[in-house]
Amino acid sequence: MNQIRLLPDHLIDQIAAGEVIERPASALKELVENALDAGATQVIITLTDGGLTGINVTDNGCGMNADELGLAVKRHATSKLSDADLFQINSFGFRGEALPSIGAVSDLEISSCNETMEHGWKIRIAHGDIYPPEPVAHAVGTTVSVNHLFDKIPARRKFLKTQRTEAGQCLEVVKQLAMASPHVSFKYSESGKTLLNLPSRTNDASAIRDRLSDVMGHVFAKEAILLDAQKEANGLTGLIGLPTMNRPTTQYMNLFVNQRPVKDKQIIGAVRAAYSDTLPRGRYPIVVLFISVPLESVDVNVHPAKNEVRFSDSGAIRSLIVGAIHSALREHGFQSTAEGAQNALYRLSSNSTHRNLSRSGGFSNYQANVTEQENALQLQSPNADYLPSDDIFQGSPPLAKTQNYDVDTQAQQTLIQNPLGAARAQYHKNYIISETSTGIVIIDQHAAHERLVMEKMKSDLALNDIKTQLLLLPEIVSLIPEQLEAFKQQFDSLNKLGLIVESFGEDAVIVRETPALLGEVNAQELVKDIAEELVNLSGSTSLEDKISHVLATISCHGSVRSGRVLSVAEMNHLLRDMEKTPNSGQCNHGRPTYISLSLADIEHLFGRR
Ligand SMILES: Nc1ncnc2c1ncn2[C@@H]1O[C@H](COP(=O)(O)OP(=O)(O)OP(=O)(O)O)[C@@H](O)[C@H]1O
Ligand SMILES: [Mg+2]
């Protein structure tokens, strides 16, 4: 065996750097965190070539004197960990290894000055070699420049992605830190282009929303729901996006624990559970969550990159998140994102441009459109009698009588004041157009109704009051072995949902009763769809999750499928039901159930604005 010996310092630093400084974005994160720890109110970041050639961070924090500079670049030197207590950490840094690690894998220069000094000092550490401090002109604060990162470590450089990807990650890191520190102004430029210019937001009441609006865009900040919950010593604040504004990855789930950005599977799981059936499988919400917990009940020393934490009572955190988000979503139930309307507008306007440019027969097109519109208008009128309690869930509706549009009854004026307005017409047997006091709303009746059925089933289920209807002839459904097995395991749950099934022979089940809410239903298709769903869900998902997915599948079968003509009374009934039903802004697959267009939007479409 070889002789055991202590590693030389520069190798130890490189090893440490391997864990902490993986890519330009990780170096940048350490530098911005240091600036925030130093109490800066202004942080200026300049990047060259996605951070590969240069990363420059200037702050107006407390600064360092020459001695402190010398220590700052040494391993295990920190000003942040008081009395060696790892469970009282209220700063981003505490390991005392970020700067020496960066210095081990780049050419690092730090210039700094504090309030009491006449001039600043600068120190350089290039690929592990420390040079003595030199005087320099610098305002109070610190500038750190990281040049030629990984130039001498080709193995590391090989693992980096394209310059664009690395640049994108750098920007993401700064955005995240900026979200949690609204009072600090941030300026960020990359290869000469300013990409972020965030003013300091100091208005206590709106600082977070203002900052998030600056970082994430005003559509999100305006529509997102404000959270403010407290359970014992733990708090939860932030903004959560409406379910209809969902994304295919967890990238837009911004999670913070005591202001530290974290990536935490448990928190993501809790958020996902809170949104549960309002999102389709594989889609994630946009959220910004600030979790605050007593310092002693969280361990931040889990990973050198400091983006993971461990809670002493993770159950309490989960229940705080699930409870707060769930009830916030219910309260704002019927809202749907304006993103849908914006996309629609975009498509409409690009379509009309396309038409004008690409076809010469503009006038005949116009004519054709008019005829289409006239036909549509004739389909339904708003003045059919309002039937008092026309049940949308069942029965076949009468066709509305066609009447004159000019009559403006009192009842309609009242209806228009409702959030989803007064139903005016139905197009293509699925889209309801309603008029509101500020514009129009287009409703996808199938999607909306599906959601109403699901929410009704959920509330009935909670009260253990799902009514069933007996099938005159029980239905025998054969299933493939895998489906049969998955189905059998859920007999009890399915019974509770109003689907009374038993095994039948070797390879089939027999359906005796179905949920009454569904009305006439094709039991064959229903059972096959559920079986397929259960197979897809097998494995990790919880029973709760399975039930909600099965509920979604069941509801889909009971919905007013597109293609059913509704009377005006029925349409209005549907709108009123939507307004009072939680989560009705999106269908069970997370698509919006309606889109609203303001008059301003419409005028915009016609070039009036
Ligand atoms: N921008 C800055 N302004 C003032 N002091 C700074 C700045 N950056 C670093 N320092 C000082 O240098 C020390 C070392 O910084 P370094 O980032 O290496 O370690 P740390 O922040 O203490 O811990 P960690 O390794 O977890 O980041 C800090 O404790 C702090 O005292
Ligand atoms: Mg640090």
Side-chain angles (χ1 to χ4, degrees):
M1 212 213 300
N2 290 334
Q3 195 188 354
I4 300 180
R5 60 192 172 91
L6 283 172
L7 289 173
D9 277 359
H10 77 275
L11 220 55
I12 298 179
D13 283 339
Q14 271 192 21
I15 291 170
E19 289 175 312
V20 188
I21 310 300
E22 233 186 323
R23 51 181 6 108
S26 29
L28 180 56
K29 167 181 169 287
E30 295 298 335
L31 301 185
V32 176
E33 288 186 350
N34 277 348
L36 295 172
D37 280 344
T41 56
Q42 203 180 67
V43 179
I44 301 169
I45 299 144
T46 324
L47 256 67
T48 320
D49 302 333
L52 288 168
T53 314
I55 301 173
N56 214 284
V57 178
T58 297
D59 68 59
N60 66 347
C62 63
M64 287 172 273
N65 63 29
D67 292 344
E68 288 167 333
L69 272 178
L71 274 173
V73 294
K74 293 245 165 67
R75 205 159 8 98
H76 307 313
T78 178
S79 56
K80 300 171 190 175
L81 204 57
S82 58
D83 298 336
D85 189 346
L86 267 178
F87 281 85
Q88 283 300 326
I89 290 167
N90 61 2
S91 51
F92 289 110
F94 57 90
R95 303 172 61 98
E97 64 179 5
L99 292 179
S101 299
I102 297 173
V105 294
S106 74
D107 189 343
L108 170 71
E109 199 170 87
I110 311 171
S111 307
S112 196
C113 180
N114 73 19
E115 258 179 1
T116 62
M117 288 154 61
E118 277 176 16
H119 60 78
W121 288 87
K122 91 173 170 195
I123 194 167
R124 179 174 168 214
I125 159 172
H127 305 285
D129 297 331
I130 304 180
Y131 294 79
E134 282 174 29
V136 70
H138 199 281
V140 172
T142 305
T143 297
V144 185
S145 312
V146 179
N147 296 308
H148 311 298
L149 186 66
F150 302 141
D151 258 12
K152 297 210 170 153
I153 310 181
R156 210 6 91 97
R157 232 185 145 91
K158 263 206 307 239
F159 282 102
L160 297 181
K161 305 260 167 58
T162 62
Q163 190 173 309
R164 219 171 117 205
T165 310
E166 296 298 334
Q169 298 203 356
C170 288
L171 183 61
E172 214 40 54
V173 155
V174 176
K175 278 185 176 176
Q176 284 235 323
L177 288 167
M179 287 180 197
S181 294
H183 59 284
V184 180
S185 75
F186 287 85
K187 197 165 177 179
Y188 181 106
S189 51
E190 214 256 292
S191 302
K193 274 191 241 133
T194 302
L195 299 183
L196 279 182
N197 196 352
L198 308 172
S200 152
R201 297 294 196 177
T202 48
N203 178 346
D204 280 352
S206 62
I208 285 288
R209 206 184 268 267
D210 292 346
R211 171 52 58 90
L212 294 181
S213 172
D214 294 339
V215 178
M216 305 182 67
H218 74 282
V219 174
F220 170 78
K222 200 173 96 200
E223 324 182 312
I225 309 168
L226 193 66
L227 279 190
D228 193 356
Q230 184 81 28
K231 208 168 174 188
E232 283 144 30
N234 306 321
L236 178 67
T237 57
L239 287 182
I240 58 166
L242 296 172
T244 33
M245 196 189 245
N246 54 53
R247 297 290 182 264
T249 66
T250 56
Q251 192 194 336
Y252 298 89
M253 296 176 74
N254 302 284
L255 313 172
F256 301 83
V257 174
N258 293 344
Q259 291 192 299
R260 182 188 304 282
V262 294
K263 291 267 167 248
D264 186 300
K265 284 213 177 81
Q266 283 188 338
I267 304 179
I268 292 176
V271 175
R272 195 68 185 64
Y275 275 84
S276 66
D277 54 34
T278 61
L279 284 175
R281 227 176 309 144
R283 303 288 298 187
Y284 298 88
I286 305 181
V287 298
V288 183
L289 294 185
F290 300 106
I291 300 164
S292 55
V293 295
L295 297 181
E296 63 278 9
S297 63
V298 59
D299 184 359
V300 290
N301 186 27
V302 179
H303 187 275
K306 296 171 288 191
N307 52 19
E308 285 173 36
V309 293
R310 221 175 275 134
F311 297 106
S312 59
D313 185 356
S314 53
I317 303 297
R318 183 184 164 89
S319 91
L320 173 66
I321 294 173
V322 176
I325 296 184
H326 202 252
S327 55
L329 288 175
R330 285 185 78 81
E331 267 169 42
H332 294 76
F334 91 94
Q335 275 181 20
S336 178
T337 173
E339 221 178 34
Q342 278 181 354
N343 291 343
L345 270 177
Y346 174 74
R347 274 188 223 120
L348 282 172
S349 49
S350 55
N351 266 349
S352 60
T353 327
H354 175 71
R355 201 174 283 142
N356 286 343
L357 292 176
S358 64
R359 294 192 195 169
S360 51
F363 183 68
S364 56
N365 270 328
Y366 177 66
Q367 290 269 323
N369 284 344
V370 168
T371 325
E372 252 171 52
Q373 277 165 19
E374 278 169 359
N375 286 342
L377 287 179
Q378 276 166 13
L379 213 113
Q380 294 296 330
S381 98
N383 290 317
D385 297 337
Y386 293 110
L387 308 174
S389 64
D390 191 15
D391 194 354
I392 193 115
F393 294 117
Q394 275 161 22
S396 161
L399 269 168
K401 288 165 257 156
T402 307
Q403 280 186 21
N404 193 339
Y405 257 79
D406 300 338
V407 190
D408 241 350
T409 62
Q410 188 76 38
Q412 259 182 54
Q413 280 312 310
T414 322
L415 278 178
I416 282 176
Q417 301 309 319
N418 286 309
L420 292 180
R424 285 294 196 186
Q426 183 198 35
Y427 291 80
H428 297 290
K429 299 183 189 164
N430 186 49
Y431 298 101
I432 300 170
I433 311 274
S434 76
E435 180 178 343
T436 64
S437 53
T438 54
I440 64 168
V441 180
I442 308 171
I443 297 103
D444 177 338
Q445 79 184 31
H446 172 70
H449 189 259
E450 184 179 293
R451 189 73 210 183
L452 295 185
V453 171
M454 169 134 169
E455 289 296 330
K456 176 87 171 81
M457 286 199 71
K458 273 197 326 200
S459 66
D460 287 353
L461 180 67
L463 299 170
N464 212 352
D465 185 28
I466 290 204
K467 302 207 171 43
T468 61
Q469 82 184 14
L470 205 63
L471 295 182
L472 282 179
L473 287 175
E475 186 87 29
I476 296 159
V477 187
S478 7
L479 296 171
I480 58 169
E482 188 189 19
Q483 291 178 345
L484 188 66
E485 199 40 49
F487 210 81
K488 276 184 181 168
Q489 279 173 15
Q490 302 300 332
F491 273 168
D492 281 353
S493 314
L494 293 168
N495 279 354
K496 286 202 190 91
L497 295 175
L499 189 69
I500 312 295
V501 268
E502 292 159 21
S503 290
F504 188 83
E506 292 278 287
D507 61 353
V509 294
I510 181 163
V511 188
R512 300 195 182 277
E513 293 170 47
T514 54
L517 205 52
L518 303 186
E520 282 283 320
V521 64
N522 182 332
Q524 282 281 346
E525 275 182 27
L526 176 64
V527 166
K528 287 196 163 137
D529 280 0
I530 295 176
E532 200 170 298
E533 182 81 33
L534 286 174
V535 170
N536 287 341
L537 289 170
S538 64
S540 57
T541 33
S542 65
L543 181 63
E544 238 178 338
D545 203 33
K546 283 199 177 96
I547 291 186
S548 69
H549 278 102
V550 169
L551 260 178
T553 309
I554 293 182
S555 316
C556 191
H557 279 260
S559 306
V560 183
R561 299 269 179 169
S562 25
R564 208 175 110 182
V565 178
L566 296 184
S567 73
V568 170
E570 284 180 308
M571 292 191 254
N572 276 313
H573 192 110
L574 181 74
L575 302 189
R576 300 296 82 78
D577 275 343
M578 283 173 74
E579 285 158 1
K580 56 179 196 254
T581 303
N583 307 320
S584 65
Q586 65 281 322
C587 76
N588 303 341
H589 314 289
R591 291 188 295 270
T593 52
Y594 69 88
I595 282 173
S596 44
L597 297 176
S598 67
L599 263 182
D601 288 339
I602 297 166
E603 284 166 359
H604 192 73
L605 267 180
F606 286 99
R608 281 170 174 269
R609 287 192 172 222

